Amino acid sequence: MTTDANLDADLVEVSPGSAASCRLDIRNAGPIVESYVIEVLGEPAGWTTVEPSTVAVYPGATESVAVRFHPPRAPQVVAGERPFAVRVSPTETPDAQVVPEGVVRVLPFAELAPEILPRTSRGRRGGRHELSVANLGNVPLGLALTGSDPDNRLAVAIRPAQLTVAPGEAAFVQVRARTRRLLWRGHPVTLPFQVGVASDETPPATLDAATVQEPVLPRGLPRVLAALLVLALLGAGLWYALLRPTVKSLAEEAAQEQVAPVAQQASAADNRAQQADSKAQQAVDAVAPGARPSLPAPSNPARPPSPSPSARAGVPAIPDGGESFSRRLAVTTGTGSSRTDRYTVASRRVFVLTDIFLQNPQGDEGRLDLVVDGTTVLTVALNNFRDLDYHMVSPIEVPAGRVISLRATCRRAGTALDGAGGGGGQCRDFALLNGYTRSAAPAT
């Protein structure tokens, strides 16, 4: 062979966000001056450079180039060993190329981004929160979640309390802060609590939150009850003094109007009966004077009953068998990348989507897509809104087992909310899907 190339190290270790290098020696064993083109092959090629990338070597001489590895500090560069190769291609004799091989070991790093929303909830028996934990490192992290109340006035429940988050992924956990006693009356009371996030690879993190306990009986309840009692008494007096006589008079007039035609018909029938009786008596007198047979008296016709009114039937806002339903999709993604959150409709149910609420609290820049069963139904630019809602004129029906996805493409992350985490190159965007579910029609 006219070309010989060797790496000075078979294994190179490098930490994400920093750089490491090794030396490549190229020897020209041919009779002429040779120019060589050097390129890196394999997975590390995207974050590896060669300095210089071309070199000319005289016959019998040796030249050296530096192979530099600089992986980014991102979850996409997972910790571990990755083989690579360096292809050395001579310009004058392309068939004489050589490909020395080596291994680069990416060292692990751990980083978490926890956030709890909302920071403050309200309720008579406490409130509900959602804890999101994003793994920004390049190794899986096992997490232990705890809740505490310094005043022991709340019972903080976290489900699940232990979980594992893969690199570049985010986990969402339900947090319930329940009061130990009811507040029957008085002013609302703010009860703070903390949620701890612990991992063997990262320092422990503590998130502060609070729930506002509202009284069972509102402060103005006695005044409201007194006002309702006064209104009830006034209404009763108005009924007996004014409305009842008027209603009774109107009812009697309406009844008389209904009975008057029937009474006129009865009077006319009575007159006709009397005329017939008189004519019959005259005929009897003409045939046998002195004989007066008795005739039965006509009976009065009965009055027809008055009709009764019919009741109305109300129309419910949700069809029979439907249940109100809402689902929140949340996406956390780094700058220059895309990520998707999904919801699958439960079996034997149909989700009828009526309202869509979009949130971009940080003012991120990029693109947001809402995909229903593989079809994109909504595409918006993140830099055009902070809060946006759509109300469907024709609701979208999503059958059982179909998927609704929220895909965010982050071009530039906005400013993180105070105390809410995020930022630092991370876009955080949300979609709230409202509607109702109903049973799926059986297959025929």
Side-chain angles (χ1 to χ4, degrees):
M1 293 181 59
T2 60
T3 301
D4 186 20
N6 297 284
L7 293 169
D8 69 338
D10 295 333
L11 176 65
V12 180
E13 291 187 347
V14 61
S15 297
S18 61
S21 63
C22 63
R23 189 179 71 253
L24 175 67
D25 297 325
I26 303 173
R27 181 176 180 275
N28 183 4
I32 61 174
V33 177
E34 188 68 81
S35 179
Y36 297 95
V37 177
I38 307 155
E39 56 183 331
V40 179
L41 306 178
E43 184 180 351
W47 33 269
T48 304
T49 57
V50 178
E51 299 176 0
S53 59
T54 60
V55 63
V57 183
Y58 287 95
T62 301
E63 294 290 340
S64 298
V65 298
V67 181
R68 301 186 184 276
F69 306 93
H70 42 85
R73 188 178 176 86
Q76 290 75 20
V77 184
V78 181
E81 295 185 354
R82 291 170 174 78
F84 70 94
V86 181
R87 181 165 57 194
V88 181
S89 302
T91 304
E92 300 297 332
T93 56
D95 296 338
Q97 65 179 5
V98 292
V99 185
E101 298 179 352
V103 176
V104 58
R105 178 182 295 161
V106 179
L107 300 179
F109 77 96
E111 183 178 350
L112 285 176
E115 182 181 8
I116 187 168
L117 293 173
R119 294 292 301 277
T120 303
S121 60
R122 304 183 70 92
R124 293 183 176 88
R125 292 306 305 269
R128 296 180 182 272
H129 303 256
E130 184 180 61
L131 173 66
S132 65
V133 184
N135 184 359
L136 305 182
N138 65 349
V139 291
L141 295 179
L143 306 179
L145 309 177
T146 57
S148 61
D149 169 23
D151 299 325
N152 198 28
R153 292 189 292 179
L154 293 173
V156 182
I158 303 177
R159 292 185 178 86
Q162 295 182 348
L163 68 158
T164 301
V165 184
E169 299 292 336
F172 297 89
V173 180
Q174 297 298 320
V175 180
R176 175 71 186 275
R178 186 177 180 86
T179 59
R180 299 186 184 273
R181 295 182 180 180
L182 287 174
L183 179 64
W184 289 102
R185 55 179 302 179
H187 296 279
V189 178
T190 300
L191 305 176
F193 66 94
Q194 292 81 36
V195 174
V197 181
S199 173
D200 294 337
E201 292 79 9
T202 61
T206 302
L207 302 177
D208 294 321
T211 182
V212 179
Q213 185 180 13
E214 298 178 342
V216 177
L217 302 177
R219 294 182 57 192
L221 182 61
R223 296 180 181 179
V224 173
L225 293 177
L228 292 176
L229 180 59
V230 171
L231 290 176
L233 294 176
L234 290 176
L238 181 63
W239 167 260
Y240 283 102
L242 299 176
L243 297 179
R244 184 179 181 184
T246 303
V247 172
K248 184 177 180 180
S249 176
L250 292 175
E252 291 177 350
E253 292 178 0
Q256 291 176 0
E257 291 178 357
Q258 295 287 340
V259 174
V262 179
Q264 292 177 0
Q265 295 176 4
S267 177
D270 188 32
N271 292 333
R272 289 193 295 270
Q274 290 179 0
Q275 293 175 4
D277 184 36
S278 176
K279 292 181 179 179
Q281 187 63 39
Q282 292 176 4
V284 170
D285 291 342
V287 174
R292 295 183 179 272
S294 60
L295 298 176
S299 60
N300 292 326
R303 296 184 180 181
S306 60
S308 61
S310 61
R312 295 182 179 179
V315 179
I318 298 178
D320 292 338
E323 297 179 1
S324 178
F325 182 82
S326 63
R327 178 73 178 194
R328 185 171 186 255
L329 301 180
V331 179
T332 301
T333 181
T335 302
S337 62
S338 298
R339 193 162 297 281
T340 302
D341 191 12
R342 301 175 176 85
Y343 162 65
T344 303
V345 179
S347 61
R348 297 190 296 274
R349 302 294 293 179
V350 175
F351 177 33
V352 181
L353 179 60
T354 60
D355 301 277
I356 303 173
F357 299 89
L358 304 179
Q359 289 183 301
N360 177 18
Q362 296 183 167
D364 303 325
E365 295 185 9
R367 170 175 171 172
L368 203 62
D369 298 289
L370 186 67
V371 182
V372 177
D373 192 21
T375 301
T376 302
V377 300
L378 183 63
T379 299
V380 293
L382 288 173
N383 49 308
N384 289 341
F385 73 96
R386 287 292 183 99
D387 295 285
L388 190 61
D389 60 281
Y390 293 91
H391 305 282
M392 303 299 178
V393 176
S394 298
I396 300 174
E397 294 191 358
V398 186
R402 303 301 172 85
V403 178
I404 302 177
S405 304
L406 179 68
R407 182 174 63 243
T409 302
C410 180
R411 184 163 59 87
R412 187 175 68 180
T415 303
L417 301 179
D418 293 339
Q426 294 290 313
C427 291
R428 289 185 55 79
D429 306 292
F430 309 89
L432 180 62
L433 311 177
N434 283 343
Y436 62 90
T437 62
R438 58 176 175 81
S439 298
T444 59

